[in-house]
Amino acid sequence: MAYPQLLSDITMGDVALDNRVLMAPLTRARTPDSIPGDLQVEYYAQRAGAGLIISEATNISPTARGYVYTPGIWTDAQEAGWQRVVSAVHEAGGRMALQLWHVGRISHEIVQPEGQQPVAPSALRAEGANCFAEFADGSAGQQPTSTPRALELDEIPALIDDYRQATRRAKRAGFDMVEVHAANAYLLQQFLATGSNQRTDRYGGSIVNRARLLLEVVDAVSAEIGSGRVGVRLSPFIEIFGLTDDEPQAMMNYLASELDRRGIAYLHVNEPDWTGEGPQLTDAFRRDLRSRFSRTLIYCGHYTAERAEAMIDAGYGDAAAFGRPYIANPDLVARFRQDADLNEPDPNTFYGGGAEGYTDYPALAHG
């Protein structure tokens, strides 16, 4: 076997996986009505060879949206659409997690219900960031984000309940796990970061206060599905969409210990060089994180099979998530087993459209 560590099985929390090749969450913007349909059923079932498929980011409520054509999990129809997807993945022998998403300030009134302002920890616009909106003439395109309003203290319990209800629906739809999206400059990371959170109440200021919302969300989600079926995605040191943070290392240290204590299934770290450029996580960071988080550690960011094998072999992590390789290689695990060449993804078809660049990448020839 070419990659004995990467292709070995693993038990992650309460879920047994056949291998450590995970499909990373990939926004593909192909659900115009926010309801997964036939195209999503085919797309995810094609990739069921992954140890775990983590779904594309899925909006937990109408106000969680910042991009049109992305799926949701707040209605019966959305739940039924996802149930079809999960059933197809299970029939093909796979496992699947739903990623729970709220974009926070990476939005605009045109994307929000009834033209409401987006919400965020503080009324600070995401400078230089765009959302993806549908305009009055029916066209769609990039739209600079608008200035959000700060969430009122008495609104936060309802926000947490949105995560709870989304998890309840995910469980009914048959998902094996859920992943709380607290990365990539979206709402929960906006609360974590010093540059986007200027609150003076119990959700702002100190590290403990800025981490409070994420941990309350994790507790609520765990109460619905069990902590052994919950993962959290974090992206320390990533500064995108206008997000800045003066204390990323200290926050990561605190969260790793707190999440470990809660017994979640996994921690999923999106690396700052996820595009192949920019700073890399150091070995010292990985060793320190390993000492604080004893459960499954997943790394994601421009990985090859060779790099993932070396990372697991060194003991820094337990699994790797692959993004763009899974866009172009539905049978990625089979290709790793055979050490076969990979298809190259077409960036022109990453977002929007139909089957082209989505379900039409070829699998390996057999026989």
PDB file of all heavy atoms in Angstrom, residues 313-344:
ATOM      1  N   ASP A 313       2.298  10.301  10.082  1.00  0.00           N
ATOM      2  CA  ASP A 313       3.406   9.475  10.545  1.00  0.00           C
ATOM      3  C   ASP A 313       4.217  10.174  11.639  1.00  0.00           C
ATOM      4  O   ASP A 313       4.714   9.530  12.572  1.00  0.00           O
ATOM      5  CB  ASP A 313       4.319   9.129   9.367  1.00  0.00           C
ATOM      6  CG  ASP A 313       5.299   8.013   9.694  1.00  0.00           C
ATOM      7  OD1 ASP A 313       4.848   6.967  10.189  1.00  0.00           O
ATOM      8  OD2 ASP A 313       6.503   8.205   9.469  1.00  0.00           O
ATOM      9  N   ALA A 314       4.299  11.508  11.558  1.00  0.00           N
ATOM     10  CA  ALA A 314       5.029  12.274  12.567  1.00  0.00           C
ATOM     11  C   ALA A 314       4.246  12.435  13.863  1.00  0.00           C
ATOM     12  O   ALA A 314       4.791  12.904  14.862  1.00  0.00           O
ATOM     13  CB  ALA A 314       5.384  13.649  12.010  1.00  0.00           C
ATOM     14  N   GLY A 315       2.975  12.061  13.837  1.00  0.00           N
ATOM     15  CA  GLY A 315       2.152  12.166  15.028  1.00  0.00           C
ATOM     16  C   GLY A 315       1.537  13.537  15.248  1.00  0.00           C
ATOM     17  O   GLY A 315       0.956  13.798  16.306  1.00  0.00           O
ATOM     18  N   TYR A 316       1.631  14.432  14.252  1.00  0.00           N
ATOM     19  CA  TYR A 316       1.081  15.780  14.407  1.00  0.00           C
ATOM     20  C   TYR A 316      -0.443  15.791  14.301  1.00  0.00           C
ATOM     21  O   TYR A 316      -1.110  16.634  14.892  1.00  0.00           O
ATOM     22  CB  TYR A 316       1.661  16.714  13.349  1.00  0.00           C
ATOM     23  CG  TYR A 316       3.142  16.955  13.484  1.00  0.00           C
ATOM     24  CD1 TYR A 316       3.929  17.163  12.353  1.00  0.00           C
ATOM     25  CD2 TYR A 316       3.771  16.978  14.728  1.00  0.00           C
ATOM     26  CE1 TYR A 316       5.296  17.396  12.467  1.00  0.00           C
ATOM     27  CE2 TYR A 316       5.121  17.207  14.843  1.00  0.00           C
ATOM     28  CZ  TYR A 316       5.885  17.421  13.712  1.00  0.00           C
ATOM     29  OH  TYR A 316       7.235  17.650  13.825  1.00  0.00           O
ATOM     30  N   GLY A 317      -0.986  14.896  13.499  1.00  0.00           N
ATOM     31  CA  GLY A 317      -2.427  14.815  13.305  1.00  0.00           C
ATOM     32  C   GLY A 317      -2.828  13.394  12.986  1.00  0.00           C
ATOM     33  O   GLY A 317      -1.980  12.500  12.889  1.00  0.00           O
ATOM     34  N   ASP A 318      -4.133  13.197  12.799  1.00  0.00           N
ATOM     35  CA  ASP A 318      -4.661  11.849  12.609  1.00  0.00           C
ATOM     36  C   ASP A 318      -5.290  11.631  11.241  1.00  0.00           C
ATOM     37  O   ASP A 318      -5.518  10.487  10.835  1.00  0.00           O
ATOM     38  CB  ASP A 318      -5.717  11.561  13.680  1.00  0.00           C
ATOM     39  CG  ASP A 318      -5.184  11.776  15.076  1.00  0.00           C
ATOM     40  OD1 ASP A 318      -4.330  10.975  15.505  1.00  0.00           O
ATOM     41  OD2 ASP A 318      -5.580  12.757  15.732  1.00  0.00           O
ATOM     42  N   ALA A 319      -5.610  12.719  10.534  1.00  0.00           N
ATOM     43  CA  ALA A 319      -6.272  12.615   9.235  1.00  0.00           C
ATOM     44  C   ALA A 319      -6.048  13.919   8.491  1.00  0.00           C
ATOM     45  O   ALA A 319      -5.684  14.943   9.084  1.00  0.00           O
ATOM     46  CB  ALA A 319      -7.767  12.342   9.398  1.00  0.00           C
ATOM     47  N   ALA A 320      -6.283  13.890   7.180  1.00  0.00           N
ATOM     48  CA  ALA A 320      -6.160  15.088   6.352  1.00  0.00           C
ATOM     49  C   ALA A 320      -7.426  15.259   5.528  1.00  0.00           C
ATOM     50  O   ALA A 320      -8.022  14.277   5.072  1.00  0.00           O
ATOM     51  CB  ALA A 320      -4.944  14.994   5.437  1.00  0.00           C
ATOM     52  N   ALA A 321      -7.830  16.496   5.352  1.00  0.00           N
ATOM     53  CA  ALA A 321      -8.986  16.818   4.505  1.00  0.00           C
ATOM     54  C   ALA A 321      -8.482  17.410   3.192  1.00  0.00           C
ATOM     55  O   ALA A 321      -7.584  18.259   3.190  1.00  0.00           O
ATOM     56  CB  ALA A 321      -9.913  17.793   5.213  1.00  0.00           C
ATOM     57  N   PHE A 322      -9.072  16.952   2.109  1.00  0.00           N
ATOM     58  CA  PHE A 322      -8.669  17.355   0.766  1.00  0.00           C
ATOM     59  C   PHE A 322      -9.819  18.100   0.105  1.00  0.00           C
ATOM     60  O   PHE A 322     -10.952  17.613   0.080  1.00  0.00           O
ATOM     61  CB  PHE A 322      -8.293  16.128  -0.075  1.00  0.00           C
ATOM     62  CG  PHE A 322      -7.102  15.373   0.448  1.00  0.00           C
ATOM     63  CD1 PHE A 322      -7.241  14.466   1.497  1.00  0.00           C
ATOM     64  CD2 PHE A 322      -5.847  15.566  -0.098  1.00  0.00           C
ATOM     65  CE1 PHE A 322      -6.145  13.770   1.988  1.00  0.00           C
ATOM     66  CE2 PHE A 322      -4.734  14.869   0.385  1.00  0.00           C
ATOM     67  CZ  PHE A 322      -4.890  13.972   1.430  1.00  0.00           C
ATOM     68  N   GLY A 323      -9.523  19.276  -0.444  1.00  0.00           N
ATOM     69  CA  GLY A 323     -10.547  20.090  -1.078  1.00  0.00           C
ATOM     70  C   GLY A 323     -10.516  19.970  -2.581  1.00  0.00           C
ATOM     71  O   GLY A 323     -11.228  19.164  -3.179  1.00  0.00           O
ATOM     72  N   ARG A 324      -9.677  20.767  -3.219  1.00  0.00           N
ATOM     73  CA  ARG A 324      -9.646  20.781  -4.682  1.00  0.00           C
ATOM     74  C   ARG A 324      -9.363  19.416  -5.298  1.00  0.00           C
ATOM     75  O   ARG A 324      -9.933  19.109  -6.356  1.00  0.00           O
ATOM     76  CB  ARG A 324      -8.644  21.832  -5.163  1.00  0.00           C
ATOM     77  CG  ARG A 324      -9.075  23.246  -4.789  1.00  0.00           C
ATOM     78  CD  ARG A 324      -8.127  24.313  -5.279  1.00  0.00           C
ATOM     79  NE  ARG A 324      -8.525  25.617  -4.759  1.00  0.00           N
ATOM     80  CZ  ARG A 324      -8.011  26.762  -5.159  1.00  0.00           C
ATOM     81  NH1 ARG A 324      -7.080  26.783  -6.085  1.00  0.00           N
ATOM     82  NH2 ARG A 324      -8.435  27.901  -4.623  1.00  0.00           N
ATOM     83  N   PRO A 325      -8.502  18.571  -4.712  1.00  0.00           N
ATOM     84  CA  PRO A 325      -8.353  17.232  -5.296  1.00  0.00           C
ATOM     85  C   PRO A 325      -9.668  16.463  -5.367  1.00  0.00           C
ATOM     86  O   PRO A 325      -9.874  15.659  -6.282  1.00  0.00           O
ATOM     87  CB  PRO A 325      -7.359  16.550  -4.348  1.00  0.00           C
ATOM     88  CG  PRO A 325      -6.548  17.672  -3.800  1.00  0.00           C
ATOM     89  CD  PRO A 325      -7.531  18.803  -3.630  1.00  0.00           C
ATOM     90  N   TYR A 326     -10.596  16.733  -4.415  1.00  0.00           N
ATOM     91  CA  TYR A 326     -11.884  16.037  -4.453  1.00  0.00           C
ATOM     92  C   TYR A 326     -12.843  16.634  -5.474  1.00  0.00           C
ATOM     93  O   TYR A 326     -13.783  15.968  -5.907  1.00  0.00           O
ATOM     94  CB  TYR A 326     -12.532  15.997  -3.069  1.00  0.00           C
ATOM     95  CG  TYR A 326     -12.449  14.617  -2.457  1.00  0.00           C
ATOM     96  CD1 TYR A 326     -11.787  14.403  -1.267  1.00  0.00           C
ATOM     97  CD2 TYR A 326     -13.014  13.519  -3.116  1.00  0.00           C
ATOM     98  CE1 TYR A 326     -11.683  13.122  -0.723  1.00  0.00           C
ATOM     99  CE2 TYR A 326     -12.919  12.248  -2.587  1.00  0.00           C
ATOM    100  CZ  TYR A 326     -12.249  12.061  -1.397  1.00  0.00           C
ATOM    101  OH  TYR A 326     -12.141  10.786  -0.892  1.00  0.00           O
ATOM    102  N   ILE A 327     -12.623  17.880  -5.853  1.00  0.00           N
ATOM    103  CA  ILE A 327     -13.448  18.440  -6.922  1.00  0.00           C
ATOM    104  C   ILE A 327     -13.245  17.636  -8.204  1.00  0.00           C
ATOM    105  O   ILE A 327     -14.209  17.278  -8.886  1.00  0.00           O
ATOM    106  CB  ILE A 327     -13.090  19.925  -7.147  1.00  0.00           C
ATOM    107  CG1 ILE A 327     -13.596  20.777  -5.976  1.00  0.00           C
ATOM    108  CG2 ILE A 327     -13.688  20.436  -8.471  1.00  0.00           C
ATOM    109  CD1 ILE A 327     -13.222  22.241  -6.080  1.00  0.00           C
ATOM    110  N   ALA A 328     -11.993  17.334  -8.519  1.00  0.00           N
ATOM    111  CA  ALA A 328     -11.667  16.719  -9.813  1.00  0.00           C
ATOM    112  C   ALA A 328     -11.515  15.208  -9.767  1.00  0.00           C
ATOM    113  O   ALA A 328     -11.421  14.572 -10.819  1.00  0.00           O
ATOM    114  CB  ALA A 328     -10.379  17.338 -10.353  1.00  0.00           C
ATOM    115  N   ASN A 329     -11.497  14.638  -8.555  1.00  0.00           N
ATOM    116  CA  ASN A 329     -11.233  13.199  -8.434  1.00  0.00           C
ATOM    117  C   ASN A 329     -12.246  12.556  -7.491  1.00  0.00           C
ATOM    118  O   ASN A 329     -11.979  12.385  -6.296  1.00  0.00           O
ATOM    119  CB  ASN A 329      -9.816  12.975  -7.916  1.00  0.00           C
ATOM    120  CG  ASN A 329      -8.755  13.508  -8.848  1.00  0.00           C
ATOM    121  OD1 ASN A 329      -8.348  12.854  -9.807  1.00  0.00           O
ATOM    122  ND2 ASN A 329      -8.323  14.750  -8.594  1.00  0.00           N
ATOM    123  N   PRO A 330     -13.411  12.209  -8.002  1.00  0.00           N
ATOM    124  CA  PRO A 330     -14.424  11.607  -7.133  1.00  0.00           C
ATOM    125  C   PRO A 330     -13.950  10.316  -6.475  1.00  0.00           C
ATOM    126  O   PRO A 330     -14.416   9.967  -5.391  1.00  0.00           O
ATOM    127  CB  PRO A 330     -15.604  11.348  -8.079  1.00  0.00           C
ATOM    128  CG  PRO A 330     -15.029  11.381  -9.457  1.00  0.00           C
ATOM    129  CD  PRO A 330     -13.885  12.332  -9.397  1.00  0.00           C
ATOM    130  N   ASP A 331     -12.995   9.644  -7.112  1.00  0.00           N
ATOM    131  CA  ASP A 331     -12.450   8.386  -6.590  1.00  0.00           C
ATOM    132  C   ASP A 331     -11.062   8.612  -6.003  1.00  0.00           C
ATOM    133  O   ASP A 331     -10.152   7.801  -6.186  1.00  0.00           O
ATOM    134  CB  ASP A 331     -12.400   7.339  -7.702  1.00  0.00           C
ATOM    135  CG  ASP A 331     -11.596   7.805  -8.924  1.00  0.00           C
ATOM    136  OD1 ASP A 331     -11.287   9.019  -9.023  1.00  0.00           O
ATOM    137  OD2 ASP A 331     -11.273   6.966  -9.790  1.00  0.00           O
ATOM    138  N   LEU A 332     -10.895   9.674  -5.254  1.00  0.00           N
ATOM    139  CA  LEU A 332      -9.569  10.060  -4.760  1.00  0.00           C
ATOM    140  C   LEU A 332      -8.904   8.956  -3.947  1.00  0.00           C
ATOM    141  O   LEU A 332      -7.703   8.700  -4.097  1.00  0.00           O
ATOM    142  CB  LEU A 332      -9.679  11.336  -3.923  1.00  0.00           C
ATOM    143  CG  LEU A 332      -8.365  11.976  -3.487  1.00  0.00           C
ATOM    144  CD1 LEU A 332      -7.555  12.443  -4.690  1.00  0.00           C
ATOM    145  CD2 LEU A 332      -8.628  13.144  -2.532  1.00  0.00           C
ATOM    146  N   VAL A 333      -9.652   8.289  -3.091  1.00  0.00           N
ATOM    147  CA  VAL A 333      -9.068   7.225  -2.270  1.00  0.00           C
ATOM    148  C   VAL A 333      -8.545   6.094  -3.157  1.00  0.00           C
ATOM    149  O   VAL A 333      -7.437   5.580  -2.946  1.00  0.00           O
ATOM    150  CB  VAL A 333     -10.086   6.697  -1.243  1.00  0.00           C
ATOM    151  CG1 VAL A 333      -9.563   5.444  -0.553  1.00  0.00           C
ATOM    152  CG2 VAL A 333     -10.402   7.777  -0.205  1.00  0.00           C
ATOM    153  N   ALA A 334      -9.302   5.708  -4.164  1.00  0.00           N
ATOM    154  CA  ALA A 334      -8.848   4.654  -5.079  1.00  0.00           C
ATOM    155  C   ALA A 334      -7.571   5.075  -5.800  1.00  0.00           C
ATOM    156  O   ALA A 334      -6.654   4.258  -6.005  1.00  0.00           O
ATOM    157  CB  ALA A 334      -9.939   4.326  -6.087  1.00  0.00           C
ATOM    158  N   ARG A 335      -7.490   6.344  -6.171  1.00  0.00           N
ATOM    159  CA  ARG A 335      -6.281   6.833  -6.838  1.00  0.00           C
ATOM    160  C   ARG A 335      -5.086   6.808  -5.884  1.00  0.00           C
ATOM    161  O   ARG A 335      -3.969   6.462  -6.291  1.00  0.00           O
ATOM    162  CB  ARG A 335      -6.520   8.237  -7.384  1.00  0.00           C
ATOM    163  CG  ARG A 335      -7.456   8.266  -8.579  1.00  0.00           C
ATOM    164  CD  ARG A 335      -7.792   9.686  -9.033  1.00  0.00           C
ATOM    165  NE  ARG A 335      -8.774   9.676 -10.100  1.00  0.00           N
ATOM    166  CZ  ARG A 335      -8.489   9.642 -11.406  1.00  0.00           C
ATOM    167  NH1 ARG A 335      -7.217   9.633 -11.803  1.00  0.00           N
ATOM    168  NH2 ARG A 335      -9.448   9.632 -12.304  1.00  0.00           N
ATOM    169  N   PHE A 336      -5.312   7.165  -4.612  1.00  0.00           N
ATOM    170  CA  PHE A 336      -4.217   7.071  -3.644  1.00  0.00           C
ATOM    171  C   PHE A 336      -3.780   5.620  -3.454  1.00  0.00           C
ATOM    172  O   PHE A 336      -2.583   5.326  -3.361  1.00  0.00           O
ATOM    173  CB  PHE A 336      -4.648   7.665  -2.303  1.00  0.00           C
ATOM    174  CG  PHE A 336      -4.729   9.179  -2.276  1.00  0.00           C
ATOM    175  CD1 PHE A 336      -5.346   9.839  -1.228  1.00  0.00           C
ATOM    176  CD2 PHE A 336      -4.185   9.950  -3.297  1.00  0.00           C
ATOM    177  CE1 PHE A 336      -5.419  11.221  -1.185  1.00  0.00           C
ATOM    178  CE2 PHE A 336      -4.247  11.343  -3.276  1.00  0.00           C
ATOM    179  CZ  PHE A 336      -4.868  11.971  -2.207  1.00  0.00           C
ATOM    180  N   ARG A 337      -4.734   4.693  -3.389  1.00  0.00           N
ATOM    181  CA  ARG A 337      -4.382   3.276  -3.191  1.00  0.00           C
ATOM    182  C   ARG A 337      -3.516   2.753  -4.337  1.00  0.00           C
ATOM    183  O   ARG A 337      -2.620   1.937  -4.144  1.00  0.00           O
ATOM    184  CB  ARG A 337      -5.650   2.433  -3.074  1.00  0.00           C
ATOM    185  CG  ARG A 337      -6.404   2.628  -1.774  1.00  0.00           C
ATOM    186  CD  ARG A 337      -7.481   1.572  -1.577  1.00  0.00           C
ATOM    187  NE  ARG A 337      -8.304   1.864  -0.412  1.00  0.00           N
ATOM    188  CZ  ARG A 337      -7.945   1.642   0.846  1.00  0.00           C
ATOM    189  NH1 ARG A 337      -6.754   1.101   1.088  1.00  0.00           N
ATOM    190  NH2 ARG A 337      -8.750   1.948   1.847  1.00  0.00           N
ATOM    191  N   GLN A 338      -3.811   3.221  -5.541  1.00  0.00           N
ATOM    192  CA  GLN A 338      -3.060   2.764  -6.703  1.00  0.00           C
ATOM    193  C   GLN A 338      -1.890   3.676  -7.045  1.00  0.00           C
ATOM    194  O   GLN A 338      -1.163   3.420  -8.005  1.00  0.00           O
ATOM    195  CB  GLN A 338      -4.001   2.662  -7.913  1.00  0.00           C
ATOM    196  CG  GLN A 338      -5.133   1.667  -7.729  1.00  0.00           C
ATOM    197  CD  GLN A 338      -6.036   1.585  -8.944  1.00  0.00           C
ATOM    198  OE1 GLN A 338      -5.563   1.657 -10.083  1.00  0.00           O
ATOM    199  NE2 GLN A 338      -7.333   1.423  -8.722  1.00  0.00           N
ATOM    200  N   ASP A 339      -1.746   4.746  -6.262  1.00  0.00           N
ATOM    201  CA  ASP A 339      -0.726   5.767  -6.547  1.00  0.00           C
ATOM    202  C   ASP A 339      -0.860   6.260  -7.991  1.00  0.00           C
ATOM    203  O   ASP A 339       0.137   6.446  -8.708  1.00  0.00           O
ATOM    204  CB  ASP A 339       0.677   5.220  -6.286  1.00  0.00           C
ATOM    205  CG  ASP A 339       1.662   6.319  -5.900  1.00  0.00           C
ATOM    206  OD1 ASP A 339       1.217   7.440  -5.580  1.00  0.00           O
ATOM    207  OD2 ASP A 339       2.880   6.072  -5.939  1.00  0.00           O
ATOM    208  N   ALA A 340      -2.118   6.479  -8.387  1.00  0.00           N
ATOM    209  CA  ALA A 340      -2.422   6.883  -9.756  1.00  0.00           C
ATOM    210  C   ALA A 340      -2.373   8.400  -9.899  1.00  0.00           C
ATOM    211  O   ALA A 340      -2.439   9.151  -8.919  1.00  0.00           O
ATOM    212  CB  ALA A 340      -3.814   6.377 -10.145  1.00  0.00           C
ATOM    213  N   ASP A 341      -2.265   8.856 -11.140  1.00  0.00           N
ATOM    214  CA  ASP A 341      -2.289  10.289 -11.412  1.00  0.00           C
ATOM    215  C   ASP A 341      -3.660  10.874 -11.059  1.00  0.00           C
ATOM    216  O   ASP A 341      -4.689  10.167 -11.091  1.00  0.00           O
ATOM    217  CB  ASP A 341      -2.004  10.551 -12.887  1.00  0.00           C
ATOM    218  CG  ASP A 341      -0.568  10.205 -13.276  1.00  0.00           C
ATOM    219  OD1 ASP A 341       0.296  10.193 -12.381  1.00  0.00           O
ATOM    220  OD2 ASP A 341      -0.341   9.924 -14.470  1.00  0.00           O
ATOM    221  N   LEU A 342      -3.674  12.164 -10.763  1.00  0.00           N
ATOM    222  CA  LEU A 342      -4.916  12.851 -10.428  1.00  0.00           C
ATOM    223  C   LEU A 342      -5.376  13.730 -11.580  1.00  0.00           C
ATOM    224  O   LEU A 342      -4.561  14.313 -12.307  1.00  0.00           O
ATOM    225  CB  LEU A 342      -4.732  13.734  -9.183  1.00  0.00           C
ATOM    226  CG  LEU A 342      -4.268  13.050  -7.897  1.00  0.00           C
ATOM    227  CD1 LEU A 342      -4.268  14.060  -6.755  1.00  0.00           C
ATOM    228  CD2 LEU A 342      -5.135  11.852  -7.560  1.00  0.00           C
ATOM    229  N   ASN A 343      -6.699  13.825 -11.744  1.00  0.00           N
ATOM    230  CA  ASN A 343      -7.261  14.809 -12.658  1.00  0.00           C
ATOM    231  C   ASN A 343      -6.992  16.210 -12.114  1.00  0.00           C
ATOM    232  O   ASN A 343      -6.985  16.430 -10.899  1.00  0.00           O
ATOM    233  CB  ASN A 343      -8.782  14.637 -12.786  1.00  0.00           C
ATOM    234  CG  ASN A 343      -9.194  13.287 -13.310  1.00  0.00           C
ATOM    235  OD1 ASN A 343      -8.551  12.737 -14.197  1.00  0.00           O
ATOM    236  ND2 ASN A 343     -10.281  12.747 -12.768  1.00  0.00           N
ATOM    237  N   GLU A 344      -6.816  17.179 -13.010  1.00  0.00           N
ATOM    238  CA  GLU A 344      -6.656  18.569 -12.610  1.00  0.00           C
ATOM    239  C   GLU A 344      -8.005  19.271 -12.576  1.00  0.00           C
ATOM    240  O   GLU A 344      -8.776  19.166 -13.523  1.00  0.00           O
ATOM    241  CB  GLU A 344      -5.725  19.296 -13.578  1.00  0.00           C
ATOM    242  CG  GLU A 344      -4.270  18.915 -13.445  1.00  0.00           C
ATOM    243  CD  GLU A 344      -3.682  19.322 -12.099  1.00  0.00           C
ATOM    244  OE1 GLU A 344      -4.040  20.412 -11.597  1.00  0.00           O
ATOM    245  OE2 GLU A 344      -2.877  18.539 -11.545  1.00  0.00           O
TER     246      GLU A 344
END
